[in-house]
Amino acid sequence: EESLQMWDLNKRLEAYLARVKYLEEENEVLRAEIQSAKGSPAGDSWRMKYEEELRALRDALDHAFREKCTAELARDNLYEEIQQVKSRCQKEQAAREEAKKQLSLSRKELEEERRAQIWLKERAVQLEKEVETLLEVHEEEKAGLDQEIASFSQSLESFRCASVAFQPVEVEDYSKRLSEIWKGAVETYKTEVSQLEGSLCQAKENLWKAVEDNHQSQLQLQHLEKDLAGLKARKEMLEESLAQQWQEQRGEAEKFQLAMEALEQEQQSLRVQIARVLEDRQQLMHLKMSLSLEVATYRTLLEAESTRLQMPAG
């Protein structure tokens, strides 16, 4: 029975020794790998590579931040330019309204000048008719006076023996007065006609000026409309470019965020792997210590058993 127990213990010892040997060899291999990993440039290169990747990502993040700042500055500049364009559009709109007001005033003045011209034409026609009527009346009066003078001269011939006081001196004075009055009336009408012609010319000149001002106002209005259309197109273009820049910046920010998340996940996984390797190493150390204790125990038992067997029978 003791021989069987010793044989069983020897088998178990052999198995434990083989296992210890295998674990020691594996431990040596792992220690060599760890030492090589610590001392070899591969680990340093991996660490340097990781640090370089982190540095590159930090540089990319700084570059993205600088691009973001640049885009914000460009956005502020575009906003200021849009505000300037809006103010200019408002000024152009005010100028357009002022031009419309001036155009309406010019049209009113033009209508008034047309009415004044029509009234002057009618007045001139009326004065011409009055002059013709006065000429006819004057001719009739002159003819009547001639007839009266002729009849009076005939009556004077029949009364030659009359005194000198009955000579036709008063009739001649009367005719002279009438001719002077007629001349004064004609001069007066001529003066009025010349004044009317002057006012008519002035009205024509004012009408031409109003037409020219209207034409200039229309040209200015067209020019303002063209400028307004150009400013609106530029405003739309600036808004489109600003929206495009915002979209590009948002896409780049999302890309960098995804890259940072991927790197953080990779870093976390590396930490987990390192912790797992350290835990495995710790378990191997504990297993080695337990096996060493067990080997020492069995060695002590074997030594005690060998000592007992080697003792003499007495």
Side-chain angles (χ1 to χ4, degrees):
E1 188 177 359
E2 288 180 356
S3 298
L4 289 174
Q5 289 179 358
M6 289 299 295
W7 183 77
D8 191 11
L9 287 173
N10 287 326
K11 292 293 184 182
R12 288 178 64 185
L13 182 60
E14 288 177 359
Y16 278 112
L17 289 173
R19 188 177 178 184
V20 167
K21 186 177 180 181
Y22 174 74
L23 290 173
E24 284 180 353
E25 290 177 355
E26 189 175 358
N27 193 10
E28 291 295 332
V29 172
L30 289 173
R31 186 181 290 110
E33 288 181 356
I34 290 169
Q35 292 295 330
S36 64
K38 286 182 179 180
S40 65
D44 295 334
S45 64
W46 178 80
R47 187 174 181 180
M48 290 174 64
K49 185 178 179 181
Y50 180 71
E51 289 178 355
E52 286 178 358
E53 288 181 356
L54 286 176
R55 193 180 299 110
L57 288 172
R58 286 171 183 171
D59 293 335
L61 186 62
D62 293 334
H63 183 67
F65 183 73
R66 287 194 295 270
E67 287 183 352
K68 182 181 178 182
C69 293
T70 306
E72 287 179 354
L73 290 173
R75 181 194 64 187
D76 295 334
N77 293 326
L78 288 173
Y79 181 75
E80 290 178 358
E81 191 171 356
I82 288 170
Q83 293 295 326
Q84 291 177 1
V85 170
K86 285 182 179 179
S87 63
R88 188 174 177 184
C89 288
Q90 290 176 359
K91 290 180 181 178
E92 295 292 338
Q93 189 70 24
R96 185 177 179 182
E97 295 293 333
E98 187 66 24
K100 285 182 179 180
K101 289 180 181 179
Q102 291 181 359
L103 183 61
S104 61
L105 291 174
S106 300
R107 285 178 180 174
K108 289 180 180 179
E109 291 178 356
L110 182 62
E111 292 294 331
E112 290 177 358
E113 293 293 336
R114 286 178 180 174
R115 291 175 183 175
Q117 187 179 4
I118 293 169
W119 181 80
L120 289 172
K121 287 181 179 179
E122 291 177 355
R123 182 63 177 168
V125 172
Q126 186 179 1
L127 289 173
E128 288 177 357
K129 290 181 179 179
E130 289 180 359
V131 168
E132 291 177 356
T133 304
L134 289 173
L135 288 172
E136 291 176 357
V137 171
H138 178 67
E139 291 294 333
E140 289 176 358
E141 289 180 354
K142 188 176 179 182
L145 288 173
D146 291 333
Q147 289 178 1
E148 288 180 359
I149 289 168
S151 62
F152 189 69
S153 62
Q154 289 177 3
S155 63
L156 285 175
E157 288 178 357
S158 62
F159 294 101
R160 287 181 180 178
C161 60
S163 61
V164 183
F166 292 100
Q167 291 180 358
V169 179
E170 296 178 358
V171 176
E172 291 178 357
D173 294 334
Y174 183 69
S175 64
K176 287 180 181 180
R177 288 179 182 177
L178 285 175
S179 63
E180 289 176 357
I181 291 169
W182 164 247
K183 287 179 181 180
V186 169
E187 291 294 333
T188 304
Y189 281 114
K190 284 182 179 180
T191 304
E192 290 182 357
V193 169
S194 63
Q195 290 178 357
L196 289 172
E197 288 178 353
S199 61
L200 183 62
C201 292
Q202 186 68 29
K204 287 181 179 180
E205 186 176 359
N206 292 329
L207 180 63
W208 183 78
K209 286 182 179 180
V211 171
E212 187 68 22
D213 292 336
N214 189 8
H215 182 66
Q216 292 293 331
S217 299
Q218 289 179 356
L219 291 175
Q220 188 177 3
L221 183 61
Q222 292 176 0
H223 182 67
L224 291 174
E225 288 177 353
K226 289 180 181 179
D227 291 339
L228 183 61
L231 290 173
K232 285 181 179 179
R234 188 176 179 184
K235 180 183 176 183
E236 291 176 357
M237 183 177 67
L238 290 173
E239 288 178 352
E240 289 178 358
S241 64
L242 182 61
Q244 188 175 1
Q245 287 182 1
W246 269 107
Q247 290 179 358
E248 291 178 356
Q249 185 180 0
R250 189 177 297 171
E252 291 178 356
E254 290 177 356
K255 288 180 180 178
F256 283 117
Q257 187 68 28
L258 291 174
M260 289 297 294
E261 289 178 357
L263 287 172
E264 287 179 357
Q265 290 178 0
E266 186 177 358
Q267 186 179 4
Q268 190 69 25
S269 65
L270 289 172
R271 287 179 179 175
V272 171
Q273 290 178 3
I274 291 169
R276 190 177 298 167
V277 169
L278 292 174
E279 187 178 359
D280 293 337
R281 184 180 176 185
Q282 192 71 24
Q283 289 178 0
L284 286 172
M285 292 295 292
H286 285 295
L287 183 61
K288 182 181 177 181
M289 290 175 67
S290 64
L291 288 173
S292 298
L293 290 173
E294 190 174 356
V295 167
T297 303
Y298 277 105
R299 188 174 295 169
T300 305
L301 290 173
L302 286 172
E303 289 177 354
E305 187 66 24
S306 64
T307 305
R308 188 179 64 82
L309 291 174
Q310 289 177 1
M311 287 178 68

